[in-house]
């Protein structure tokens, strides 16, 4: 029998998740959730989400900052819920693996794609879970490790891509997916941690895909560079309203929900607002 320190390694899921069109319902994308289960509930209520037909795609960062981290992570098991891996999700995996590794056994290679970080207020929930509920902590990390780095959707009207942080210019979507599937550490680091350099570069679209949606960088309004849309509205900063985040409240404070399966581009119309939720491209 193996002890917790020698238990089998938590395995990462596939780097890329490829999906076909939703033939029975609607598809939506939303920015970073950050442990705020109420954002999911409000989202589903605002658009009359049907869990038997509709699908929700999240641009990563399911955990940290909010107070319902375990509840949000549990949604990974739901057939209607899909998310890419964010840098906070990867940091949680890294933290757990380091807590379990002996000094002679380094953590798996994928864990090295995020820089080591000191203890943060953001991840105290996981540190407490590791200390007091180790089996629950392991279960959470097992679920987070299943998250892909990219999702590619061949929709009825458009080809959609999702990653957490950004995609470098000058590459096609297919090249990006191949690089991630090969485990290229620079690509993995980029899609988890990069920040967009608005106003620089050519703003040329990423070929081989119609739209790419990313989170990671909270903005007052969604912005586009080429065909990459940055849709994190920083809803967690208004939802938590704590001293750590109030300094950011002047530029962020909503969740942006985007309908993906319409022939018209959803961002060309003004959103309707529902609490801390802005809904683009869906009014029924």
């Amino acid at each position: 029998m193996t002890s917790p320190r020698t238990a089998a390694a938590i395995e990462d899921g596939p780097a890329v998740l490829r999906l076909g069109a939703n033939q029975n319902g609607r598809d939506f994308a939303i920015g970073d959730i950050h442990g705020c289960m109420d954002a999911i509930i409000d989202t589903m209520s605002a658009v009359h989400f049907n869990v038997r037909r509709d699908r929700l795609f999240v641009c990563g960062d399911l955990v940290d900052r909010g107070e319902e981290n375990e509840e949000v992570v549990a949604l990974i098991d739901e057939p209607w819920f899909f998310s890419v891996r964010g840098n906070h999700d990867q940091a949680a995996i890294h933290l757990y693996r380091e807590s379990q590794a002996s000094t002679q056994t380094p953590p798996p290679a994928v864990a090295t794609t995020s820089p080591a970080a000191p203890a943060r207020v953001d991840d105290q929930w996981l540190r407490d879970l590791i200390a007091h509920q180790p089996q629950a902590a392991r279960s959470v990390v097992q679920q987070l490790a299943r998250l892909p780095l990219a999702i590619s959707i061949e929709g009825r009207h458009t080809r959609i891509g999702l990653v957490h942080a950004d995609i470098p210019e000058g590459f096609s979507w297919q090249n990006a997916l191949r690089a991630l599937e090969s485990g290229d550490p620079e690509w993995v680091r980029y899609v988890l941690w990069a920040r967009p350099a608005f106003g620089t570069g050519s703003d040329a679209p990423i070929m081989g895909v119609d739209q790419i949606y990313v989170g990671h960088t909270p903005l007052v309004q969604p912005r586009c560079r080429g065909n990459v849309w940055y849709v994190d509205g920083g809803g967690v900063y208004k939802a938590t309203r704590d001293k750590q985040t109030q300094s950011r409240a002047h530029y962020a404070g909503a969740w942006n929900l985007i309908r993906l399966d319409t022939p018209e581009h959803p961002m060309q119309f003004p959103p309707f607002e529902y609490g801390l939720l802005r809904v683009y491209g869906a009014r029924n």
Side-chain angles (χ1 to χ4, degrees):
M1 180 178 294
T2 58
S3 69
R5 293 188 66 84
T6 59
I10 291 174
E11 298 295 333
D12 289 282
V16 176
L17 176 63
R18 292 177 171 83
L19 297 170
N22 185 349
Q23 301 295 342
N24 299 313
R26 302 166 298 168
D27 285 347
F28 298 91
I30 195 169
D32 306 11
I33 297 297
H34 279 302
C36 293
M37 190 67 176
D38 284 348
I40 301 290
I41 295 170
D42 287 348
T43 293
M44 297 172 76
S45 176
V47 297
H48 306 290
F49 192 92
N50 186 327
V51 296
R52 293 184 298 274
R53 298 187 302 174
D54 300 331
R55 301 188 296 192
L56 180 64
F57 295 89
V58 184
C59 294
D61 277 1
L62 298 185
V63 300
D64 291 350
R65 298 186 176 141
E67 297 180 353
E68 296 93 28
N69 294 284
E70 292 174 77
E71 291 87 343
V72 172
V73 171
L75 294 176
I76 295 172
D77 289 331
E78 296 293 336
W80 50 267
F81 184 89
F82 301 87
S83 179
V84 294
R85 188 184 303 192
N87 63 302
H88 281 258
D89 308 317
Q90 181 61 53
I93 298 167
H94 183 72
L95 170 62
Y96 180 84
R97 284 172 168 163
E98 285 210 324
S99 76
Q100 303 300 302
S102 69
T103 55
Q104 289 80 29
T105 307
V110 68
T112 66
T113 60
S114 59
R120 299 175 288 114
V121 173
D122 288 349
D123 63 16
Q124 190 59 48
W125 68 277
L126 182 57
R127 294 177 185 274
D128 291 342
L129 210 61
I130 292 170
H132 304 295
Q133 300 181 59
Q135 292 304 315
R138 181 176 177 81
S139 177
V140 163
V141 172
Q142 283 177 322
Q143 289 169 297
L144 291 175
R146 287 163 42 199
L147 296 176
L149 297 168
I151 295 176
S152 186
I153 309 166
E154 288 291 331
R156 285 175 288 177
H157 305 289
T158 54
R159 292 164 295 177
I160 301 294
L162 288 91
V163 297
H164 175 60
D166 205 1
I167 283 285
E169 293 182 283
F171 296 89
S172 72
W173 180 237
Q174 288 71 26
N175 284 340
L177 298 184
R178 282 193 290 268
L180 292 174
E181 288 177 319
S182 75
D184 184 311
E186 291 301 319
W187 272 90
V188 173
R189 187 178 297 110
Y190 199 96
V191 300
L192 287 173
W193 291 91
R195 297 287 185 187
F198 294 118
T200 65
S202 64
D203 285 349
I206 304 297
M207 303 303 293
V209 65
D210 294 300
Q211 306 295 335
I212 298 173
Y213 293 96
V214 304
H216 188 54
T217 301
L219 301 165
V220 174
Q221 300 289 339
R223 292 187 63 174
C224 182
R225 190 178 64 174
N227 57 349
V228 181
W229 281 92
Y230 303 84
V231 299
D232 182 23
V236 64
Y237 298 122
K238 284 289 177 67
T240 57
R241 299 180 185 278
D242 61 36
K243 292 181 181 179
Q244 296 292 326
T245 59
Q246 277 300 288
S247 62
R248 301 191 182 197
H250 68 283
Y251 72 84
W255 277 279
N256 297 308
L257 180 71
I258 300 97
R259 177 86 178 264
L260 300 181
D261 60 306
T262 58
E264 303 85 11
H265 195 298
M267 309 303 287
Q268 66 181 307
F269 303 109
F272 78 84
E273 298 191 7
Y274 182 95
L276 295 181
L277 185 70
R278 302 191 201 104
V279 182
Y280 291 84
R283 294 187 176 274
N284 51 56

